[in-house]
Amino acid sequence: MCGIAGWFSDREAITDKADVLDKMSETLCRRGPDEHGIYADEHAALLHRRLTVIDPEHGKQPMTQQLGEHAVTLVYNGELYNAPELRRELKSAGCEFSGHSDTEVLLRSYLYWGKGCVERLNGIFAFAVYDERDRSIFIARDPIGVKPFFYCDYDGGFIFGSEIKTLLANPRVKPQIDEQGLMEIFFIGPGRTLGGGVFKNIGELKPGECGVYKDGRLTKRIYFRITAAEHTHSRKQTIDFTRYLLTDAIERQLVSDVPLCTFLSGGLDSSIISNTAAEHFKKRGKKLDTYSVNYTDNKKYFQKSLFQPNSDEEFIDIMVKHISSQHHEVVLDNKQLYNALFDAVEARDLPGMVDVDSSLLLFCREVKKDFTVALSGECADELFGGYPWYHNEEILFEECFPWSRSQDIRRSVLKKGFLPRGEEYVRTRYRETLQLADSLPSDSKLMKRMREMFILNFRWFMQTLLDRKDRCSMYSGLEVRVPFCDYRVVQYAYNMPWELKSLDGREKGIVRAAFSDILPESIVWRKKSPYPKTHNPVYWQLCVKGAENIISDPTSPIREILDIEGIRRIIADPDKISSPWYGQLMKAPQILAYIAQVDYWFRRYSVTIV
């Protein structure tokens, strides 16, 4: 896991821009604290920051292979989970290897299969391959979008990086936003339209997209799509195959030359991963370490709700005893949680999911003290119908994003008349997404809608969580793997009939059935509970103080676009908010925290509106 960047120019000598390249590289030091490398010729530069996980000696980057009189050079961020199979196939074709790193496997794959290598990869990745012969660069991002790839394609050049801040370190890229960017922040955020980076002139490769930059032109293509197909498995076959796919994905992701642990919340998804990992470790005479997060005095203030019916502690204890793991609870202080909102902005380069981000950032910081790699249960809910909006028919067929059903709360914090097209912008994005839901003529009305919901969740809510997980973990140099994001699992889940996916009338029913004989019954049938948040009134008071400081500060860069009275109404009556800003957890404290993040983002990044 690493950070990558590059700069290509047809008109400038890149070798004269060492100071800029150094600044770009420096922005990635948190992603790759162990080593850094650079490849440069007159018109091209590739930068790499390494977090060493596999084959420290032979996995150094940029990695170059000589082909006759010219060189091909790779920079790569990610992991290939089918590297052993690819290596065997390439060896049988006559390819030689100097080590066991997946970096070398990827470069050899490109040299042997060319641009078609992406169809053969199972993993999480973003990479660039530069061919000095024709001064072209091939770029690609993994099918699910776990690893980031941002770029700026300008007249006469191309800049890319793992993070937005990397591009902004280059004077060619300005921290500007236009009306569309503002609508992304205030009407879509913390979600983000795929393919864009909110800042003007910053784009991103979409999940499953690759491209070539050559002769001043970028051409892209989609190499992976979620497609509709008949589900031919019986109930038992579906249960068995779901278990096989998930177990295989988890076991493939346990390969590491550095210490590895798992996140354990006591929920179904993290319990499946931790149980599988514990069995894997046990066979090798090792004990698994597991981690959970909590907040100061949370037990005292916890309140049950539709979205959060119970707390995690008792279920974590059950699983720790079941798998005999060495467990660690990270308890976060509420003031620390609030202050970390601003670190989270710097991690994501954008306002985000507020305390859900800052808590993860602080949690990963603690885990990193002893571990370099962790496995986490993200994205099972999006793929297997885990959220309440899959099961409430009134919400299910609404023409809106189910995690942000009403724009009223967003409109209420903005000055009257500001961004008048905001609601229409959201509707347009929603309708565009529905067009991507492939279906079959035989699909029932419910099945067709479930496919649409799958794609809505995959391209929006799930991507927000993957952004969060990558940036907040890599901010501390911790690699977090997400086994449920194996592209085989995604494709299989898309075509699973709803009556099987929601087996026995339960959210993620098929997953529960697949692991019912190896997990404690109370874990298998535990009602879905989201990522834990703080319920301590201290956090609310800090959010109120932060918001009040902004609306009373004449130097605030966003004060003039806010409805000050609207914000005061939230402060005065927080319980009046009936629909969250985003997802299940962003209510009054989080709305105020989001405003604080937006204010900080404008200041810290010197954002200008154009």
Side-chain angles (χ1 to χ4, degrees), residues 421-440:
R421 299 191 307 111
E423 288 84 354
E424 181 56 34
Y425 184 79
V426 175
R427 285 192 292 272
T428 299
R429 289 288 179 255
Y430 169 82
R431 291 166 184 158
E432 289 173 348
T433 309
L434 294 189
Q435 300 304 310
L436 301 173
D438 193 28
S439 61
L440 299 175

Side-chain angles (χ1 to χ4, degrees), residues 144 194 226 379-391 395-396 400-404 430 433-434 437 449-466 490 494 498 501 582-584:
I144 311 305
L194 284 182
I226 299 174
C379 304
D381 294 304
E382 289 81 4
L383 304 178
F384 291 100
Y387 293 120
W389 51 71
Y390 277 101
H391 301 269
I395 299 174
L396 180 63
C400 64
F401 292 120
W403 50 85
S404 188
Y430 169 82
T433 309
L434 294 189
R449 183 55 178 168
M450 285 303 179
R451 291 193 192 277
E452 291 176 343
M453 286 289 284
F454 188 106
I455 294 299
L456 286 168
N457 279 268
F458 176 83
R459 295 183 68 85
W460 290 94
F461 203 77
M462 183 166 149
Q463 297 302 320
T464 306
L465 294 180
L466 291 176
V490 173
Y494 184 68
W498 181 245
K501 191 177 289 188
Y582 190 89
Q584 304 169 72

Side-chain angles (χ1 to χ4, degrees), residues 474-527:
M474 294 302 287
Y475 191 74
S476 295
L478 178 71
E479 174 190 318
V480 179
R481 299 172 180 175
V482 280
F484 280 90
C485 288
D486 187 301
Y487 76 91
R488 300 169 301 163
V489 175
V490 173
Q491 184 67 34
Y492 190 66
Y494 184 68
N495 289 303
M496 193 181 295
W498 181 245
E499 60 269 20
L500 286 176
K501 191 177 289 188
S502 60
L503 205 61
D504 300 319
R506 288 300 306 271
E507 73 279 4
K508 295 183 289 191
I510 192 69
V511 181
R512 297 177 192 277
F515 291 89
S516 62
D517 62 331
I518 65 170
L519 294 177
E521 186 175 359
S522 59
I523 299 294
V524 172
W525 301 111
R526 182 189 179 190
K527 188 172 176 59

